[in-house]
Amino acid sequence: KYINYKIIKNFLNLFNSYSFKVKRNWKIFRILQNKAWVKSLNIKKNADWFVSGSVDRTIKLWKIFSEKPKFIYTGHAEEITCVELSTENSYLFSSSLDNTIKCWDLEECKVIKNFFGHKSGVETFKLHHNLNVIISGGKDSTCRIWDMKTALELFSFLGHKGCVNSILVNEKEPFLITGGRDQTLKFWDLRCNKCLFSIYFEKQSIKSIKKKNGSSSFFLLLNNSMMNLYTNYFEYPEISQKKKYNINYSCFDISTKGTIIIGTELGEFLQFNSNNLQFINKFFSPKQKGILKNEKTISCLIFTNSSDIFLSGGCDRSIKLWFCY
């Protein structure tokens, strides 16, 4: 007759905490051979294909369950550092150490726009569809804003003292977070083009910044630690959780279900729960034939839309498809 909501709430909390403690195992479904070190991966939303960028200056378009690439795009003069598929149209964007960003038409298989301006190699970039701009970070210690339609540079942010290698954008608000090898995290206001505040991490260069869907917090990957920070962009962020291990991290991603997978320089993967950064599981990438001992680094990984499959790429010149069982 009467419902005890407190009992139901406690039961749901117990169920959720137990579900994240359950050990989830990952197994390789397929290994796609690549001729060079894979530096970047990106998956088209609600589609079954993805792109990869490699140090051999090529970009490849793959079907997730295919063994060979469907198309190979060439045009960059140096190694590819980042690739991203547009969610609005059939365009592909890529950055390279040749100081440029290129926009590709996937249907016509050709470059339609070039973004020139960086004085050194471009390490990373993000698309901001609401503002219709591209935000890039480079080895010249700058973060530059580009008009996506005209390919013109709108303005640049100065302040980092080292390579800018990670960017986090907020599609709903005009704010930006950048991280670099100068051990500094900076928060920018795109409306007035200025830095709101900075955070310095001693002896810890920033590897990657990512945000969980629907969350007001974001995750920061450093050399050997991960942090969960909360911020409203106007105030200094609060560090809610921190995990540190004596392992050199290289990349990570977060699934829609809240699973975090971290790739390391030793070729192993660490799995965490994003709610409390609780360690769940550890598994290794199998060694490929003809690969040296120092070619184990996992350089990129990304979850598919299902959250039960993720892709990884690295120095062993292969792309691996992992599924949860």
Side-chain angles (χ1 to χ4, degrees), residues 142-153:
T142 65
C143 176
R144 300 174 186 264
I145 314 297
W146 311 83
D147 188 307
M148 202 180 296
K149 291 183 178 180
T150 63
L152 297 177
E153 182 182 337

Side-chain angles (χ1 to χ4, degrees), residues 256-279:
T256 55
K257 295 180 180 179
T259 301
I260 295 178
I261 301 289
I262 300 177
T264 71
E265 294 182 0
L266 297 177
E268 61 183 0
F269 298 90
L270 303 176
Q271 182 177 353
F272 294 88
N273 169 18
S274 63
N275 290 344
N276 52 17
L277 289 185
Q278 178 185 1
F279 176 76

Side-chain angles (χ1 to χ4, degrees), residues 65-223:
F65 299 108
S66 65
E67 296 183 355
K68 294 182 179 180
K70 188 175 181 180
F71 293 107
I72 300 178
Y73 304 92
T74 59
H76 280 290
E78 295 290 341
E79 68 178 64
I80 310 299
T81 56
C82 185
V83 290
E84 185 169 345
L85 292 157
S86 173
T87 58
E88 305 293 326
N89 45 49
S90 59
Y91 289 164
L92 162 69
F93 293 85
S94 62
S95 64
S96 169
L97 294 184
D98 62 5
N99 308 356
T100 67
I101 302 171
K102 294 182 182 294
C103 176
W104 307 75
D105 189 317
L106 295 177
E107 295 178 354
E108 298 183 5
C109 301
K110 67 178 183 179
V111 177
I112 58 175
K113 293 174 187 175
N114 287 284
F115 300 79
F116 299 102
H118 277 281
K119 297 180 180 178
S120 189
V122 184
E123 276 287 328
T124 186
F125 69 91
K126 292 293 180 183
L127 306 180
H128 199 304
H129 290 288
N130 286 352
L131 299 178
N132 207 23
V133 297
I134 300 175
I135 304 165
S136 63
K139 291 181 177 293
D140 56 3
S141 306
T142 65
C143 176
R144 300 174 186 264
I145 314 297
W146 311 83
D147 188 307
M148 202 180 296
K149 291 183 178 180
T150 63
L152 297 177
E153 182 182 337
L154 301 177
F155 50 87
S156 61
F157 291 136
L158 305 175
H160 280 284
K161 297 181 180 179
C163 173
V164 180
N165 58 2
S166 51
I167 298 173
L168 179 66
V169 299
N170 190 331
E171 288 285 350
K172 297 181 180 180
E173 298 180 11
F175 298 105
L176 171 69
I177 303 176
T178 59
R181 293 176 187 162
D182 59 354
Q183 308 167 42
T184 305
L185 192 71
K186 290 184 176 293
F187 295 74
W188 308 87
D189 191 334
L190 295 175
R191 297 169 299 182
C192 54
N193 304 336
K194 71 175 184 179
C195 181
L196 299 175
F197 47 83
S198 303
I199 307 176
Y200 178 73
F201 299 92
E202 187 176 2
K203 298 180 181 180
Q204 290 282 324
S205 63
I206 297 169
K207 297 287 187 177
S208 181
I209 316 168
K210 291 189 179 181
K211 185 178 180 181
K212 182 181 176 182
N213 291 338
S215 174
S216 56
S217 63
F218 66 93
F219 294 88
L220 178 66
L221 188 70
L222 305 174
N223 286 352

